[in-house]
Amino acid sequence: MPELPEVETVRQGLLPAMENRRISHAEVRRPDLRWPFPPRMAERLTGARVTALGRRSKYILASLDTGQTLLIHLGMSGRMTISGDAPGSFHRDHPLRDKHDHVVLTMDSGARITFNDARRFGAMDLIATPAVETHPLLAKLGPEPLGNTFHAGVLARAFSGKRAPVKSALLDQRIVAGLGNIYVCEALWRAGISPMRQAGRIGQARLETLTQTIRDVLAEAIEAGGSSLRDYRQADGELGYFQHRFAAYDREGQPCRTQDCDGVIERIVQSGRSTFHCRRCQR
DNA sequence: ACCAGCTCCTGCTTGC
DNA sequence: TGCAAGCAGGAGCTGG
């Protein structure tokens, strides 16, 4: 499911169709996803103009001229795609509805934005804009990994004394926001750090390296339009391409790509999640 | 406080 | 074109 690069790619794809556009019609086709939708969501969205389309961690935030902000989370299988009579449309010739099309926003341009989520782990909420930062889903998030407030000192402080494996620590959204299973595996491989290593036992120099590999892998993935494994699509329906550049994730049994390393990528399970790593060059 | 495991849901892949 | 088990990118909750 969508991690930070996928959500950012979707946001960028939605931007021309949504920003400074008015929602002329909102259709909400079921009462809930992971949680119930906020009361009267369709009515509250209808007529609102989207003044900005932002992102925090894996959440898309649409600021509305009604003083509210629409929070969108794609969960594991959520898609936001554009269709209808608009540039960048997805399936312009196949406007048929899917049974997992849960919310459809029709913009004043004629573009339709469809939220499709087979597994329904996604979520939407409407928040008074001044209260966005204190929303329960956002309040405890750590720094944005591509922002200025993320640096090795942040990791050093957060990891200090931590006995949990660094893999688990990086998945903790309170430490750094937006990483998921794929990009944690990739960043640790690039940094040459074992996913099993206790977070509190990584030296300063290696934390500097890790900070940089996290930034690099996320930026490259955004550049490639994200990673499409199963459900993920960009807003225009295109696949992402970063999966072709995975060095660790989903490469069990394949040769490690580190220069001069003759190791093999192994799959282990940590906290119930697959981890892919090379035990020879990740220490 | 910390951490591992379970859970929500559907659908795809794998093994019989 | 059968069936059941296992697995999947998130993240809140429970209980040790």
Side-chain angles (χ1 to χ4, degrees), chain A residues 231-246:
Chain A
D231 305 299
Y232 168 70
R233 296 294 183 108
Q234 302 186 39
D236 61 4
E238 289 295 312
L239 300 171
Y241 291 96
F242 193 73
Q243 66 276 13
H244 302 301
R245 288 160 61 182
F246 288 166

Side-chain angles (χ1 to χ4, degrees), chain A residues 180-192 213-214 217 242 245-251 257 276 282:
Chain A
N181 211 27
I182 292 176
Y183 298 107
V184 166
C185 289
E186 293 299 308
L188 286 171
W189 177 85
R190 289 189 185 202
T213 61
I214 289 170
V217 74
F242 193 73
R245 288 160 61 182
F246 288 166
Y249 188 82
D250 213 17
R251 293 193 66 245
R257 290 181 174 159
F276 298 87
Q282 291 179 254

Side-chain angles (χ1 to χ4, degrees), chain A residues 259-272:
Chain A
Q259 188 97 39
D260 299 326
C261 176
D262 53 4
V264 169
I265 300 297
E266 294 176 34
R267 187 182 84 97
I268 59 173
V269 175
Q270 292 179 287
S271 312

Side-chain angles (χ1 to χ4, degrees), chain A residues 95-260:
Chain A
L96 293 181
R97 272 217 212 106
D98 181 272
K99 63 175 171 174
H100 300 302
D101 287 352
H102 304 309
V103 177
V104 182
L105 304 179
T106 305
M107 310 306 291
D108 56 5
S109 62
R112 280 198 312 281
I113 315 292
T114 301
F115 186 112
N116 177 290
D117 184 9
R119 290 175 70 182
R120 303 210 302 271
F121 285 0
M124 284 196 191
D125 202 2
L126 270 169
I127 315 158
T129 296
V132 166
E133 287 177 20
T134 57
H135 188 278
L137 291 169
L138 306 180
K140 293 180 179 171
L141 290 174
E144 283 291 316
L146 295 175
N148 294 331
T149 59
F150 178 63
H151 46 78
V154 167
L155 287 186
R157 215 168 307 126
F159 286 2
S160 174
K162 242 191 192 308
R163 305 179 68 165
V166 61
K167 162 82 185 310
S168 311
L170 289 175
L171 286 174
D172 184 341
Q173 303 296 299
R174 296 169 300 183
I175 293 177
V176 55
L179 296 177
N181 211 27
I182 292 176
Y183 298 107
V184 166
C185 289
E186 293 299 308
L188 286 171
W189 177 85
R190 289 189 185 202
I193 296 171
S194 166
M196 285 115 68
R197 174 166 294 276
Q198 291 182 6
R201 296 184 153 226
I202 302 174
Q204 184 67 21
R206 305 184 82 207
L207 290 181
E208 301 276 1
T209 303
L210 179 58
T211 305
Q212 195 55 49
T213 61
I214 289 170
R215 288 176 176 277
D216 290 348
V217 74
L218 294 177
E220 288 172 34
I222 292 170
E223 189 71 23
S227 302
S228 286
L229 295 182
R230 295 167 185 82
D231 305 299
Y232 168 70
R233 296 294 183 108
Q234 302 186 39
D236 61 4
E238 289 295 312
L239 300 171
Y241 291 96
F242 193 73
Q243 66 276 13
H244 302 301
R245 288 160 61 182
F246 288 166
Y249 188 82
D250 213 17
R251 293 193 66 245
E252 182 178 16
Q254 297 181 55
C256 178
R257 290 181 174 159
T258 297
Q259 188 97 39
D260 299 326

